[in-house]
Amino acid sequence: METWVRFNSQSQAKERLCRAAQYACTLLGYTLQKGGAGADLLMTVKQLESHMSLTRKLMRLGNSAEAVESAKRAVHLSDSVLRLCITVAHLNKAMYFACDNVLWAGKTGLLPKLDQDKWSQRSFRYYLFALILSLTRDAYEIGLLMERESRCCGSAKASLSSTPVALTPENGDLPTTPSSSASPSPPPLLIPTIPSLPMLSLRLRKQVRLLAVVLRSNPPLLLDLLKNLCDIVIPLDRLGLYPTGNGFVGACGLASSVLSILTILHPWLKLKP
Amino acid sequence: MKLQSLESNMSSGRKLFRLGNTINSIDAAKRTLVLSDPILRCCLTVANLSRALYFICDNVLWARNIGLVRDINKERWSLNATRYYFVSLVMNLTRDVYMMAQLMVQRSRDRCYQQKLHQHLNENPDVACVVVPQLDALVFLLIECLKSNPAVALDTVKNLCDLFSPLDRLGVYQTNAGVVGFCGLLSSLLGILSVLKPQLKIKP
């Protein structure tokens, strides 16, 4: 199995390039249509796009086995949420690739009586589930990192506020009210009130800032999140759940392909596990 | 009809897949230009340049198949592509023969081998050995070298199998689709084997 995975990974980079080219054709076709180009040119671009799509299906003929192998590896992860998300995402991807292989057989004429629309919808559904699980995993990792970051920040702030008291013991003042110099301490018994709007916006701004800090210090996570967000547009459009149009789908597909080419060129940018 | 459509699909898929190989071949030619042995340097550089030209023709044919370019003579470009491929195969075979000859000369000077040869010639009661001992010694040397250098043997067999396709298309030695198909399959399997086991890949 290891040999097959190593052998197969050599063609994955070319498959990513083909994907980028395919979605660039989608975007180009949309732009040309809006710009009022001739039917001949549009036909050529459409033919090129379908040729790239068929070739990619040929290149991906072995990916089902690879996805099952990745799922087998993910079953041994220690964190239960990550274990669930990643394993189920890989299994869904394996099903997506299996449907994709069947579609390839149908398109090349091996299975002429195949209902291509049905299998296409099926494959997009599996792809959508896999993407939802990947996004859940991203959200979970972001949540963990934000919690860790806020704890670090909180403990750092607490140590900073306690140092002025420790520095002046000869005053004889007991540190009963350490924050008396800073701000008036709140009353001990608080009646639970609905937080006001400025407080909510302050809290929201703090969370957004924390999110920005976490994402900036974790480029693999940021890349994976952006890639999954771009990718999810495609099945949402193709399944008719949130139609956006060929132009937007092409742009998002192209962006996610470029990001995945970046992770191949710079392996440290790949999110692990 | 189904198989023909599948074959043409695979062929056009491969053409797309190979769009970047021109640069790979030119890079390989640059690397072989600095080899120390003059015969290897000549053979491999010409083979790589010829292969680069073959890939350029192949890319143009792909564009024609897709419909990106319409007014080119498909037959002429296809013939040129086959010719360049043929030249690169002939150069690769020359290199294989040269390497084999060098190995045989080296081996024949080896004392252990000489003992083995003597043993083989004396033990074998075949008529052919007695009549033409030199031929038998040569064949024995060849087989010994092939056994101890699987990479060269593999490359030679692969190039020989590959040779049938351009020979058939150029009309030099016409066989049929069956022979071409079988040889193509065999050479592809040998190529996959050399990727799976890097020690079986010929160097340089």
Side-chain angles (χ1 to χ4, degrees), chain A residues 163-175 180-181:
Chain A
T163 40
V165 177
L167 278 171
T168 57
E170 61 264 27
N171 283 6
D173 291 346
L174 288 163
S180 54
S181 53

Side-chain angles (χ1 to χ4, degrees), chain A residues 10 19 40 72 134 146 170 174 189 196 206 239 258:
Chain A
Q10 293 184 35
R19 184 176 195 252
D40 234 2
K72 274 204 261 182
S134 299
M146 276 170 75
E170 61 264 27
L174 288 163
L189 266 169
S196 60
K206 203 175 101 176
L239 289 170
V258 167

Side-chain angles (χ1 to χ4, degrees), chain A residues 3-4 6-7 10-11 14-15 18 40-41 44 47-48 51-52 54-56 58-59 61 104 107-112, chain B residues 2-3 5-6 9-21 24 62 65-68 70 191-192 195-196 198:
Chain A
T3 325
W4 167 252
R6 236 183 306 130
F7 184 68
Q10 293 184 35
S11 58
K14 286 210 172 161
E15 197 262 325
C18 261
D40 234 2
L41 186 58
T44 311
Q47 259 185 324
L48 185 60
H51 176 73
M52 300 265 189
L54 194 60
T55 309
R56 272 181 69 215
L58 174 61
M59 280 192 225
L61 278 181
W104 173 82
K107 286 210 164 118
T108 52
L110 280 175
L111 301 167
Chain B
K2 255 195 230 183
L3 283 179
S5 135
L6 180 63
N9 248 303
M10 297 265 194
S11 166
S12 58
R14 271 182 75 209
K15 287 202 198 306
L16 173 61
F17 214 18
R18 294 191 297 207
L19 276 182
N21 283 16
N24 274 12
W62 172 81
N65 275 356
I66 290 297
L68 279 176
R70 273 172 238 270
I192 290 170
V195 171
L196 284 176

Side-chain angles (χ1 to χ4, degrees), chain A residues 132-179:
Chain A
I132 291 173
L133 283 161
S134 299
L135 279 170
T136 314
R137 175 265 186 105
D138 289 334
Y140 175 71
E141 294 226 21
I142 290 173
L144 276 181
L145 287 167
M146 276 170 75
E147 200 190 310
R148 204 187 300 170
E149 187 74 28
S150 68
R151 252 188 284 135
C152 284
C153 280
S155 64
K157 279 206 185 112
S159 64
L160 275 170
S161 64
S162 61
T163 40
V165 177
L167 278 171
T168 57
E170 61 264 27
N171 283 6
D173 291 346
L174 288 163
T176 45
T177 53
S179 55

